[in-house]
CSV table of all heavy atoms in Angstrom, one decimal:
chain,number,residue,atom,x,y,z
G,1,MET,N,0.2,-4.4,22.3
G,1,MET,CA,0.7,-3.1,22.0
G,1,MET,C,1.6,-3.1,20.8
G,1,MET,O,2.4,-4.0,20.6
G,1,MET,CB,1.4,-2.5,23.2
G,1,MET,CG,1.8,-1.1,23.1
G,1,MET,SD,2.3,-0.5,24.7
G,1,MET,CE,2.8,1.1,24.3
G,2,SER,N,1.6,-2.1,19.9
G,2,SER,CA,2.4,-2.1,18.7
G,2,SER,C,3.8,-1.7,19.0
G,2,SER,O,4.1,-1.0,19.9
G,2,SER,CB,1.7,-1.3,17.6
G,2,SER,OG,1.7,0.1,18.0
G,3,ASP,N,4.7,-2.1,18.1
G,3,ASP,CA,6.1,-1.7,18.2
G,3,ASP,C,6.1,-0.2,18.0
G,3,ASP,O,5.5,0.4,17.0
G,3,ASP,CB,6.8,-2.4,17.1
G,3,ASP,CG,8.3,-2.1,17.0
G,3,ASP,OD1,8.7,-1.0,17.5
G,3,ASP,OD2,9.0,-3.0,16.5
G,4,PRO,N,6.9,0.6,18.8
G,4,PRO,CA,6.9,2.0,18.7
G,4,PRO,C,7.6,2.5,17.4
G,4,PRO,O,7.4,3.6,16.9
G,4,PRO,CB,7.8,2.5,19.9
G,4,PRO,CG,8.5,1.3,20.4
G,4,PRO,CD,7.6,0.1,19.9
G,5,ALA,N,8.3,1.6,16.7
G,5,ALA,CA,8.9,2.0,15.4
G,5,ALA,C,7.9,1.9,14.3
G,5,ALA,O,8.1,2.4,13.2
G,5,ALA,CB,10.1,1.1,15.1
G,6,GLU,N,6.8,1.2,14.5
G,6,GLU,CA,5.7,1.1,13.5
G,6,GLU,C,5.1,2.5,13.3
G,6,GLU,O,5.1,3.3,14.2
G,6,GLU,CB,4.7,0.1,13.9
G,6,GLU,CG,5.2,-1.3,13.8
G,6,GLU,CD,4.2,-2.4,14.2
G,6,GLU,OE1,3.2,-2.0,14.9
G,6,GLU,OE2,4.3,-3.5,13.8
G,7,PHE,N,4.5,2.7,12.1
G,7,PHE,CA,3.8,3.9,11.9
G,7,PHE,C,2.5,3.7,11.1
G,7,PHE,O,2.2,2.6,10.6
G,7,PHE,CB,4.7,4.9,11.1
G,7,PHE,CG,5.2,4.3,9.8
G,7,PHE,CD1,4.5,4.5,8.6
G,7,PHE,CD2,6.4,3.6,9.7
G,7,PHE,CE1,5.0,4.0,7.4
G,7,PHE,CE2,6.9,3.1,8.6
G,7,PHE,CZ,6.2,3.3,7.4
G,8,GLU,N,1.7,4.7,11.0
G,8,GLU,CA,0.3,4.6,10.5
G,8,GLU,C,0.3,5.2,9.1
G,8,GLU,O,0.8,6.2,8.8
G,8,GLU,CB,-0.7,5.3,11.3
G,8,GLU,CG,-2.1,5.1,10.9
G,8,GLU,CD,-3.1,5.6,11.9
G,8,GLU,OE1,-3.4,5.0,12.9
G,8,GLU,OE2,-3.6,6.8,11.6
G,9,ILE,N,-0.4,4.4,8.2
G,9,ILE,CA,-0.7,4.9,6.9
G,9,ILE,C,-2.2,4.7,6.7
G,9,ILE,O,-2.9,4.1,7.6
G,9,ILE,CB,0.0,4.1,5.8
G,9,ILE,CG1,-0.4,2.6,5.8
G,9,ILE,CG2,1.5,4.3,5.9
G,9,ILE,CD1,0.2,1.8,4.7
G,10,HIS,N,-2.8,5.1,5.6
G,10,HIS,CA,-4.2,4.8,5.3
G,10,HIS,C,-4.3,4.1,4.0
G,10,HIS,O,-3.7,4.5,3.0
G,10,HIS,CB,-5.0,6.2,5.2
G,10,HIS,CG,-5.2,6.8,6.6
G,10,HIS,ND1,-4.3,7.5,7.2
G,10,HIS,CD2,-6.3,6.7,7.4
G,10,HIS,CE1,-4.7,7.9,8.4
G,10,HIS,NE2,-5.9,7.4,8.5
G,11,VAL,N,-5.1,3.0,4.0
G,11,VAL,CA,-5.3,2.2,2.8
G,11,VAL,C,-6.8,2.2,2.6
G,11,VAL,O,-7.6,1.8,3.4
G,11,VAL,CB,-4.8,0.8,3.0
G,11,VAL,CG1,-5.0,-0.1,1.8
G,11,VAL,CG2,-3.3,0.8,3.4
G,12,ASN,N,-7.2,2.8,1.4
G,12,ASN,CA,-8.6,2.9,1.0
G,12,ASN,C,-9.4,3.6,2.2
G,12,ASN,O,-10.5,3.1,2.5
G,12,ASN,CB,-9.2,1.6,0.7
G,12,ASN,CG,-8.6,1.0,-0.6
G,12,ASN,OD1,-7.9,1.7,-1.3
G,12,ASN,ND2,-8.9,-0.2,-1.0
G,13,GLY,N,-8.8,4.6,2.8
G,13,GLY,CA,-9.5,5.4,3.8
G,13,GLY,C,-9.4,4.8,5.2
G,13,GLY,O,-9.9,5.4,6.2
G,14,ARG,N,-8.8,3.6,5.4
G,14,ARG,CA,-8.7,3.0,6.7
G,14,ARG,C,-7.3,3.0,7.2
G,14,ARG,O,-6.4,2.7,6.5
G,14,ARG,CB,-9.2,1.6,6.6
G,14,ARG,CG,-10.7,1.5,6.3
G,14,ARG,CD,-11.1,0.1,6.4
G,14,ARG,NE,-12.6,0.1,6.3
G,14,ARG,CZ,-13.3,-1.0,6.4
G,14,ARG,NH1,-12.8,-2.1,6.7
G,14,ARG,NH2,-14.6,-0.9,6.3
G,15,PRO,N,-7.2,3.4,8.5
G,15,PRO,CA,-5.8,3.4,9.1
G,15,PRO,C,-5.2,2.0,9.2
G,15,PRO,O,-6.0,1.0,9.4
G,15,PRO,CB,-6.0,4.0,10.5
G,15,PRO,CG,-7.5,3.8,10.8
G,15,PRO,CD,-8.2,3.7,9.5
G,16,ARG,N,-3.9,1.9,9.0
G,16,ARG,CA,-3.2,0.6,9.1
G,16,ARG,C,-1.8,0.9,9.6
G,16,ARG,O,-1.2,1.8,9.2
G,16,ARG,CB,-3.2,0.0,7.7
G,16,ARG,CG,-2.5,-1.4,7.7
G,16,ARG,CD,-2.7,-2.1,6.4
G,16,ARG,NE,-2.4,-3.5,6.5
G,16,ARG,CZ,-3.2,-4.4,6.9
G,16,ARG,NH1,-4.4,-4.2,7.1
G,16,ARG,NH2,-2.8,-5.7,7.0
G,17,THR,N,-1.3,0.0,10.5
G,17,THR,CA,0.0,0.2,11.0
G,17,THR,C,1.0,-0.7,10.3
G,17,THR,O,0.6,-1.9,10.0
G,17,THR,CB,0.0,-0.2,12.5
G,17,THR,OG1,-0.9,0.6,13.2
G,17,THR,CG2,1.4,0.0,13.1
G,18,VAL,N,2.1,-0.2,9.9
G,18,VAL,CA,3.1,-0.9,9.1
G,18,VAL,C,4.5,-0.7,9.8
G,18,VAL,O,4.7,0.2,10.5
G,18,VAL,CB,3.2,-0.6,7.6
G,18,VAL,CG1,1.9,-0.9,6.9
G,18,VAL,CG2,3.5,0.9,7.4
G,19,ALA,N,5.4,-1.7,9.5
G,19,ALA,CA,6.7,-1.6,10.0
G,19,ALA,C,7.6,-0.7,9.1
G,19,ALA,O,7.4,-0.6,7.9
G,19,ALA,CB,7.3,-3.0,10.1
G,20,PRO,N,8.7,-0.2,9.7
G,20,PRO,CA,9.6,0.6,9.0
G,20,PRO,C,10.2,-0.3,7.9
G,20,PRO,O,10.4,-1.5,8.0
G,20,PRO,CB,10.7,0.9,10.0
G,20,PRO,CG,10.1,0.8,11.3
G,20,PRO,CD,9.0,-0.2,11.2
G,21,GLY,N,10.5,0.3,6.7
G,21,GLY,CA,11.0,-0.5,5.6
G,21,GLY,C,10.0,-1.1,4.7
G,21,GLY,O,10.3,-1.7,3.7
G,22,SER,N,8.7,-1.0,5.1
G,22,SER,CA,7.6,-1.5,4.3
G,22,SER,C,7.5,-0.8,3.0
G,22,SER,O,7.7,0.4,2.9
G,22,SER,CB,6.3,-1.4,5.0
G,22,SER,OG,6.2,-2.2,6.2
G,23,THR,N,7.2,-1.6,1.9
G,23,THR,CA,7.0,-1.0,0.6
G,23,THR,C,5.6,-1.3,0.1
G,23,THR,O,4.9,-2.1,0.8
G,23,THR,CB,8.0,-1.7,-0.4
G,23,THR,OG1,7.7,-3.1,-0.5
G,23,THR,CG2,9.5,-1.5,0.0
G,24,VAL,N,5.3,-0.8,-1.0
G,24,VAL,CA,4.0,-1.1,-1.6
G,24,VAL,C,3.9,-2.6,-1.8
G,24,VAL,O,2.8,-3.2,-1.5
G,24,VAL,CB,3.8,-0.3,-2.9
G,24,VAL,CG1,2.5,-0.8,-3.7
G,24,VAL,CG2,3.7,1.2,-2.7
G,25,ALA,N,4.9,-3.2,-2.3
G,25,ALA,CA,4.9,-4.7,-2.5
G,25,ALA,C,4.7,-5.5,-1.2
G,25,ALA,O,3.9,-6.4,-1.2
G,25,ALA,CB,6.2,-5.1,-3.2
G,26,THR,N,5.3,-5.1,-0.1
G,26,THR,CA,5.1,-5.8,1.1
G,26,THR,C,3.7,-5.6,1.7
G,26,THR,O,3.1,-6.5,2.3
G,26,THR,CB,6.2,-5.5,2.2
G,26,THR,OG1,6.2,-4.1,2.5
G,26,THR,CG2,7.6,-5.9,1.7
G,27,LEU,N,3.2,-4.4,1.5
G,27,LEU,CA,1.8,-4.1,1.9
G,27,LEU,C,0.9,-5.0,1.1
G,27,LEU,O,0.0,-5.7,1.7
G,27,LEU,CB,1.5,-2.7,1.7
G,27,LEU,CG,0.0,-2.3,2.0
G,27,LEU,CD1,-0.3,-2.5,3.4
G,27,LEU,CD2,-0.3,-0.9,1.5
G,28,LEU,N,1.0,-5.1,-0.2
G,28,LEU,CA,0.1,-6.0,-1.0
G,28,LEU,C,0.2,-7.4,-0.6
G,28,LEU,O,-0.8,-8.1,-0.5
G,28,LEU,CB,0.4,-5.8,-2.5
G,28,LEU,CG,0.2,-4.4,-3.0
G,28,LEU,CD1,0.6,-4.3,-4.5
G,28,LEU,CD2,-1.3,-4.0,-2.8
G,29,GLU,N,1.5,-7.9,-0.2
G,29,GLU,CA,1.7,-9.3,0.3
G,29,GLU,C,0.9,-9.5,1.6
G,29,GLU,O,0.2,-10.5,1.7
G,29,GLU,CB,3.1,-9.5,0.5
G,29,GLU,CG,3.9,-10.2,-0.6
G,29,GLU,CD,5.3,-10.4,-0.2
G,29,GLU,OE1,5.6,-10.9,0.9
G,29,GLU,OE2,6.2,-10.1,-1.0
G,30,THR,N,1.0,-8.5,2.5
G,30,THR,CA,0.3,-8.6,3.8
G,30,THR,C,-1.2,-8.7,3.6
G,30,THR,O,-1.9,-9.4,4.3
G,30,THR,CB,0.7,-7.4,4.6
G,30,THR,OG1,2.1,-7.4,4.9
G,30,THR,CG2,0.0,-7.4,6.0
G,31,LEU,N,-1.7,-7.9,2.6
G,31,LEU,CA,-3.1,-7.9,2.3
G,31,LEU,C,-3.6,-9.1,1.5
G,31,LEU,O,-4.7,-9.2,1.2
G,31,LEU,CB,-3.5,-6.6,1.6
G,31,LEU,CG,-3.2,-5.3,2.4
G,31,LEU,CD1,-3.5,-4.1,1.6
G,31,LEU,CD2,-4.1,-5.3,3.7
G,32,GLU,N,-2.6,-9.9,1.1
G,32,GLU,CA,-2.9,-11.1,0.2
G,32,GLU,C,-3.5,-10.7,-1.1
G,32,GLU,O,-4.5,-11.3,-1.5
G,32,GLU,CB,-3.7,-12.1,1.0
G,32,GLU,CG,-2.9,-12.7,2.2
G,32,GLU,CD,-3.7,-13.7,3.0
G,32,GLU,OE1,-4.8,-14.0,2.6
G,32,GLU,OE2,-3.1,-14.3,3.9
G,33,LEU,N,-3.0,-9.6,-1.7
G,33,LEU,CA,-3.5,-9.1,-3.0
G,33,LEU,C,-2.5,-9.4,-4.1
G,33,LEU,O,-1.3,-9.3,-3.9
G,33,LEU,CB,-3.8,-7.6,-2.9
G,33,LEU,CG,-4.9,-7.2,-1.9
G,33,LEU,CD1,-4.9,-5.7,-1.8
G,33,LEU,CD2,-6.2,-7.7,-2.3
G,34,ASP,N,-3.1,-9.7,-5.3
G,34,ASP,CA,-2.2,-10.0,-6.4
G,34,ASP,C,-2.0,-8.7,-7.2
G,34,ASP,O,-2.9,-8.1,-7.7
G,34,ASP,CB,-3.0,-11.0,-7.3
G,34,ASP,CG,-2.2,-11.4,-8.6
G,34,ASP,OD1,-1.1,-10.8,-8.8
G,34,ASP,OD2,-2.6,-12.3,-9.3
G,35,PRO,N,-0.7,-8.2,-7.2
G,35,PRO,CA,-0.4,-7.0,-7.8
G,35,PRO,C,-0.7,-6.9,-9.3
G,35,PRO,O,-0.9,-5.8,-9.9
G,35,PRO,CB,1.1,-6.8,-7.6
G,35,PRO,CG,1.6,-8.1,-7.3
G,35,PRO,CD,0.5,-8.9,-6.7
G,36,ARG,N,-0.9,-8.1,-10.0
G,36,ARG,CA,-1.2,-8.1,-11.4
G,36,ARG,C,-2.6,-7.7,-11.7
G,36,ARG,O,-2.9,-7.4,-12.9
G,36,ARG,CB,-0.9,-9.5,-11.9
G,36,ARG,CG,0.5,-10.0,-11.8
G,36,ARG,CD,0.7,-11.4,-12.2
G,36,ARG,NE,-0.1,-12.2,-11.3
G,36,ARG,CZ,-0.3,-13.5,-11.4
G,36,ARG,NH1,0.3,-14.2,-12.3
G,36,ARG,NH2,-1.0,-14.2,-10.5
G,37,THR,N,-3.5,-7.7,-10.7
G,37,THR,CA,-4.9,-7.4,-10.9
G,37,THR,C,-5.3,-6.1,-10.3
G,37,THR,O,-6.5,-5.9,-10.1
G,37,THR,CB,-5.7,-8.6,-10.4
G,37,THR,OG1,-5.6,-8.7,-9.0
G,37,THR,CG2,-5.4,-9.9,-11.1
G,38,LEU,N,-4.4,-5.2,-9.9
G,38,LEU,CA,-4.8,-4.0,-9.3
G,38,LEU,C,-3.9,-2.8,-9.6
G,38,LEU,O,-2.9,-3.0,-10.2
G,38,LEU,CB,-4.9,-4.2,-7.8
G,38,LEU,CG,-3.7,-4.9,-7.1
G,38,LEU,CD1,-2.7,-3.8,-6.7
G,38,LEU,CD2,-4.2,-5.6,-5.8
G,39,ALA,N,-4.4,-1.7,-9.3
G,39,ALA,CA,-3.6,-0.4,-9.4
G,39,ALA,C,-3.5,0.2,-8.0
G,39,ALA,O,-4.4,0.1,-7.2
G,39,ALA,CB,-4.4,0.5,-10.3
G,40,VAL,N,-2.3,0.8,-7.8
G,40,VAL,CA,-2.1,1.4,-6.5
G,40,VAL,C,-1.7,2.9,-6.7
G,40,VAL,O,-0.9,3.2,-7.5
G,40,VAL,CB,-0.9,0.7,-5.8
G,40,VAL,CG1,-0.6,1.4,-4.4
G,40,VAL,CG2,-1.2,-0.8,-5.6
G,41,GLU,N,-2.4,3.7,-6.0
G,41,GLU,CA,-2.2,5.2,-6.0
G,41,GLU,C,-1.6,5.5,-4.6
G,41,GLU,O,-2.2,5.1,-3.6
G,41,GLU,CB,-3.5,5.9,-6.2
G,41,GLU,CG,-3.3,7.4,-6.4
G,41,GLU,CD,-4.7,8.0,-6.7
G,41,GLU,OE1,-5.3,8.4,-5.7
G,41,GLU,OE2,-5.0,8.2,-7.9
G,42,ARG,N,-0.5,6.2,-4.5
G,42,ARG,CA,0.1,6.7,-3.3
G,42,ARG,C,0.1,8.2,-3.3
G,42,ARG,O,0.7,8.8,-4.1
G,42,ARG,CB,1.5,6.1,-3.1
G,42,ARG,CG,2.2,6.6,-1.9
G,42,ARG,CD,3.6,6.0,-1.8
G,42,ARG,NE,4.3,6.6,-0.8
G,42,ARG,CZ,5.5,7.2,-1.0
G,42,ARG,NH1,6.0,7.3,-2.2
G,42,ARG,NH2,6.1,7.8,0.0
G,43,ASN,N,-0.6,8.8,-2.3
G,43,ASN,CA,-0.7,10.3,-2.2
G,43,ASN,C,-1.0,10.9,-3.5
G,43,ASN,O,-0.4,11.9,-4.0
G,43,ASN,CB,0.6,10.8,-1.6
G,43,ASN,CG,1.0,10.2,-0.3
G,43,ASN,OD1,0.1,10.0,0.5
G,43,ASN,ND2,2.2,10.0,0.0
G,44,LEU,N,-2.0,10.4,-4.2
G,44,LEU,CA,-2.6,10.8,-5.5
G,44,LEU,C,-1.7,10.6,-6.7
G,44,LEU,O,-2.1,11.0,-7.8
G,44,LEU,CB,-2.9,12.3,-5.4
G,44,LEU,CG,-3.9,12.7,-4.2
G,44,LEU,CD1,-4.1,14.2,-4.2
G,44,LEU,CD2,-5.2,12.0,-4.4
G,45,ASP,N,-0.6,9.8,-6.5
G,45,ASP,CA,0.2,9.5,-7.7
G,45,ASP,C,0.2,8.0,-7.9
G,45,ASP,O,0.3,7.2,-7.0
G,45,ASP,CB,1.7,9.9,-7.4
G,45,ASP,CG,1.9,11.4,-7.4
G,45,ASP,OD1,1.2,12.1,-8.3
G,45,ASP,OD2,2.6,11.9,-6.6
G,46,LEU,N,-0.1,7.6,-9.2
G,46,LEU,CA,-0.1,6.2,-9.5
G,46,LEU,C,1.3,5.6,-9.3
G,46,LEU,O,2.3,6.2,-9.7
G,46,LEU,CB,-0.5,6.0,-11.0
G,46,LEU,CG,-0.6,4.5,-11.5
G,46,LEU,CD1,-1.7,3.8,-10.7
G,46,LEU,CD2,-0.8,4.5,-13.0
G,47,VAL,N,1.4,4.4,-8.7
G,47,VAL,CA,2.7,3.7,-8.5
G,47,VAL,C,2.8,2.6,-9.5
G,47,VAL,O,2.0,1.6,-9.5
G,47,VAL,CB,2.8,3.1,-7.1
G,47,VAL,CG1,4.2,2.4,-6.9
G,47,VAL,CG2,2.6,4.2,-6.0
G,48,PRO,N,3.6,2.7,-10.5
G,48,PRO,CA,3.7,1.7,-11.6
G,48,PRO,C,4.1,0.3,-10.9
G,48,PRO,O,4.8,0.3,-9.9
G,48,PRO,CB,4.9,2.2,-12.4
G,48,PRO,CG,5.0,3.6,-12.2
G,48,PRO,CD,4.6,3.8,-10.8
G,49,ARG,N,3.5,-0.7,-11.5
G,49,ARG,CA,3.7,-2.0,-10.9
G,49,ARG,C,5.2,-2.4,-10.7
G,49,ARG,O,5.6,-3.0,-9.7
G,49,ARG,CB,3.1,-3.1,-11.8
G,49,ARG,CG,3.0,-4.5,-11.2
G,49,ARG,CD,2.2,-5.5,-12.0
G,49,ARG,NE,0.9,-5.0,-12.3
G,49,ARG,CZ,0.3,-5.0,-13.5
G,49,ARG,NH1,1.0,-5.6,-14.5
G,49,ARG,NH2,-0.9,-4.6,-13.7
G,50,GLY,N,6.0,-2.0,-11.6
G,50,GLY,CA,7.5,-2.2,-11.6
G,50,GLY,C,8.2,-1.5,-10.5
G,50,GLY,O,9.3,-1.8,-10.1
G,51,GLN,N,7.5,-0.5,-9.8
G,51,GLN,CA,8.1,0.3,-8.7
G,51,GLN,C,7.5,-0.1,-7.4
G,51,GLN,O,7.9,0.4,-6.4
G,51,GLN,CB,7.8,1.8,-9.0
G,51,GLN,CG,8.5,2.3,-10.2
G,51,GLN,CD,10.0,2.2,-10.0
G,51,GLN,OE1,10.5,2.6,-9.0
G,51,GLN,NE2,10.7,1.7,-11.0
G,52,HIS,N,6.6,-1.1,-7.3
G,52,HIS,CA,6.0,-1.5,-6.0
G,52,HIS,C,7.1,-1.9,-5.0
G,52,HIS,O,7.0,-1.5,-3.8
G,52,HIS,CB,5.1,-2.7,-6.2
G,52,HIS,CG,3.8,-2.3,-6.8
G,52,HIS,ND1,2.7,-3.2,-7.0
G,52,HIS,CD2,3.3,-1.1,-7.3
G,52,HIS,CE1,1.7,-2.6,-7.6
G,52,HIS,NE2,2.0,-1.3,-7.8
G,53,ALA,N,8.1,-2.7,-5.4
G,53,ALA,CA,9.1,-3.2,-4.4
G,53,ALA,C,10.1,-2.0,-4.0
G,53,ALA,O,10.7,-2.1,-2.9
G,53,ALA,CB,9.9,-4.3,-5.0
G,54,ALA,N,10.2,-1.0,-4.8
G,54,ALA,CA,11.1,0.1,-4.5
G,54,ALA,C,10.5,1.3,-3.8
G,54,ALA,O,11.2,2.2,-3.4
G,54,ALA,CB,11.8,0.6,-5.8
G,55,THR,N,9.1,1.3,-3.8
G,55,THR,CA,8.4,2.4,-3.2
G,55,THR,C,8.2,2.2,-1.7
G,55,THR,O,7.3,1.5,-1.3
G,55,THR,CB,7.1,2.6,-3.9
G,55,THR,OG1,7.3,2.8,-5.3
G,55,THR,CG2,6.3,3.8,-3.4
G,56,LEU,N,9.0,2.9,-0.9
G,56,LEU,CA,8.9,2.8,0.6
G,56,LEU,C,7.7,3.6,1.1
G,56,LEU,O,7.4,4.7,0.6
G,56,LEU,CB,10.2,3.4,1.2
G,56,LEU,CG,11.4,2.5,1.1
G,56,LEU,CD1,12.6,3.3,1.6
G,56,LEU,CD2,11.2,1.2,2.0
G,57,LEU,N,7.0,3.0,2.0
G,57,LEU,CA,5.9,3.7,2.7
G,57,LEU,C,6.4,4.6,3.8
G,57,LEU,O,7.4,4.2,4.5
G,57,LEU,CB,4.9,2.7,3.2
G,57,LEU,CG,4.3,1.7,2.2
G,57,LEU,CD1,3.5,0.7,2.8
G,57,LEU,CD2,3.6,2.5,1.1
G,58,THR,N,5.8,5.7,4.0
G,58,THR,CA,6.2,6.7,5.1
G,58,THR,C,4.9,7.0,5.9
G,58,THR,O,3.8,6.9,5.4
G,58,THR,CB,6.8,7.9,4.5
G,58,THR,OG1,6.0,8.6,3.6
G,58,THR,CG2,8.1,7.6,3.8
G,59,ALA,N,5.2,7.5,7.1
G,59,ALA,CA,4.1,7.8,8.0
G,59,ALA,C,3.1,8.8,7.3
G,59,ALA,O,3.6,9.8,6.7
G,59,ALA,CB,4.6,8.4,9.3
G,60,GLY,N,1.8,8.5,7.4
G,60,GLY,CA,0.8,9.4,6.8
G,60,GLY,C,0.5,9.2,5.4
G,60,GLY,O,-0.4,9.8,4.8
G,61,ASP,N,1.2,8.3,4.7
G,61,ASP,CA,0.9,8.0,3.3
G,61,ASP,C,-0.6,7.6,3.2
G,61,ASP,O,-1.2,6.9,4.1
G,61,ASP,CB,1.7,6.8,2.8
G,61,ASP,CG,3.1,7.2,2.3
G,61,ASP,OD1,3.3,8.4,2.1
G,61,ASP,OD2,3.9,6.3,2.0
G,62,ARG,N,-1.2,8.0,2.1
G,62,ARG,CA,-2.6,7.6,1.8
G,62,ARG,C,-2.5,6.8,0.5
G,62,ARG,O,-2.2,7.3,-0.6
G,62,ARG,CB,-3.4,8.8,1.6
G,62,ARG,CG,-3.5,9.6,3.0
G,62,ARG,CD,-4.6,10.7,3.0
G,62,ARG,NE,-4.7,11.2,4.3
G,62,ARG,CZ,-5.4,10.7,5.3
G,62,ARG,NH1,-6.1,9.6,5.1
G,62,ARG,NH2,-5.5,11.3,6.4
G,63,LEU,N,-3.0,5.5,0.6
G,63,LEU,CA,-3.0,4.7,-0.6
G,63,LEU,C,-4.4,4.3,-0.9
G,63,LEU,O,-5.2,4.1,-0.1
G,63,LEU,CB,-2.1,3.4,-0.3
G,63,LEU,CG,-0.7,3.7,-0.1
G,63,LEU,CD1,-0.3,3.7,1.3
G,63,LEU,CD2,0.1,2.7,-0.9
G,64,GLU,N,-4.6,4.2,-2.2
G,64,GLU,CA,-5.8,3.7,-2.8
G,64,GLU,C,-5.5,2.4,-3.6
G,64,GLU,O,-4.6,2.5,-4.5
G,64,GLU,CB,-6.6,4.7,-3.6
G,64,GLU,CG,-7.1,5.9,-2.9
G,64,GLU,CD,-8.2,5.5,-1.9
G,64,GLU,OE1,-9.0,4.6,-2.1
G,64,GLU,OE2,-8.2,6.2,-0.8
G,65,VAL,N,-6.0,1.3,-3.3
G,65,VAL,CA,-5.8,0.1,-4.0
G,65,VAL,C,-7.1,-0.3,-4.7
G,65,VAL,O,-8.1,-0.5,-4.0
G,65,VAL,CB,-5.3,-1.0,-3.0
G,65,VAL,CG1,-5.1,-2.3,-3.8
G,65,VAL,CG2,-4.1,-0.6,-2.2
G,66,VAL,N,-7.0,-0.4,-6.0
G,66,VAL,CA,-8.2,-0.6,-6.8
G,66,VAL,C,-8.0,-1.8,-7.6
G,66,VAL,O,-7.0,-2.0,-8.3
G,66,VAL,CB,-8.5,0.6,-7.7
G,66,VAL,CG1,-9.7,0.4,-8.5
G,66,VAL,CG2,-8.6,1.9,-6.9
G,67,THR,N,-9.0,-2.8,-7.6
G,67,THR,CA,-8.9,-4.0,-8.4
G,67,THR,C,-9.4,-3.6,-9.8
G,67,THR,O,-10.4,-2.9,-10.0
G,67,THR,CB,-9.9,-5.0,-7.8
G,67,THR,OG1,-9.5,-5.3,-6.5
G,67,THR,CG2,-9.8,-6.3,-8.6
G,68,LEU,N,-8.6,-4.1,-10.8
G,68,LEU,CA,-8.9,-3.9,-12.2
G,68,LEU,C,-9.8,-5.0,-12.7
G,68,LEU,O,-9.6,-6.1,-12.4
G,68,LEU,CB,-7.6,-3.9,-13.0
G,68,LEU,CG,-6.5,-2.9,-12.6
G,68,LEU,CD1,-5.2,-3.1,-13.4
G,68,LEU,CD2,-7.0,-1.5,-12.7
G,69,VAL,N,-10.9,-4.5,-13.4
G,69,VAL,CA,-11.9,-5.5,-13.8
G,69,VAL,C,-12.0,-5.3,-15.4
G,69,VAL,O,-12.1,-4.2,-15.8
G,69,VAL,CB,-13.2,-5.2,-13.2
G,69,VAL,CG1,-14.3,-6.2,-13.7
G,69,VAL,CG2,-13.1,-5.3,-11.7
G,70,GLY,N,-11.9,-6.4,-16.1
G,70,GLY,CA,-12.0,-6.4,-17.5
G,70,GLY,C,-13.4,-6.8,-17.9
G,70,GLY,O,-14.2,-7.2,-17.1
G,71,GLY,N,-13.7,-6.5,-19.2
G,71,GLY,CA,-15.0,-6.9,-19.6
G,71,GLY,C,-15.6,-5.9,-20.6
G,71,GLY,O,-15.0,-4.9,-20.8
G,72,GLY,N,-16.8,-6.1,-21.0
G,72,GLY,CA,-17.3,-5.2,-22.0
G,72,GLY,C,-18.8,-5.2,-22.0
G,72,GLY,O,-19.5,-5.8,-21.4
């Protein structure tokens, strides 16, 4: 059973439970993703990479995490 203080967000359309105080940066760590190679949108707003650690997640947030691909 999950901790009652935890809350639900959605990441790429899928529900995920996170702990209070979670940030975009801690979410990416949990997902084992490299923030240098992706873009994060929270509730339709782009979160600049420099703001990942300062952006607190709240119940009901909807995040889209997209891997950046280079090439031509």
Side-chain angles (χ1 to χ4, degrees):
M1 186 167 177
S2 66
D3 181 334
E6 292 180 334
F7 57 90
E8 187 174 277
I9 62 172
H10 285 83
V11 180
N12 293 350
R14 294 188 171 185
R16 182 169 195 89
T17 303
V18 295
S22 293
T23 64
V24 170
T26 57
L27 174 68
L28 296 177
E29 266 182 45
T30 300
L31 297 173
E32 299 180 355
L33 296 173
D34 183 350
R36 298 172 298 174
T37 62
L38 48 87
V40 179
E41 186 180 89
R42 177 179 169 238
N43 301 326
L44 304 178
D45 291 321
L46 182 66
V47 180
R49 190 175 306 136
Q51 294 297 313
H52 286 182
T55 303
L56 286 171
L57 301 175
T58 58
D61 276 349
R62 296 192 174 279
L63 292 102
E64 293 295 325
V65 180
V66 181
T67 302
L68 302 174
V69 178

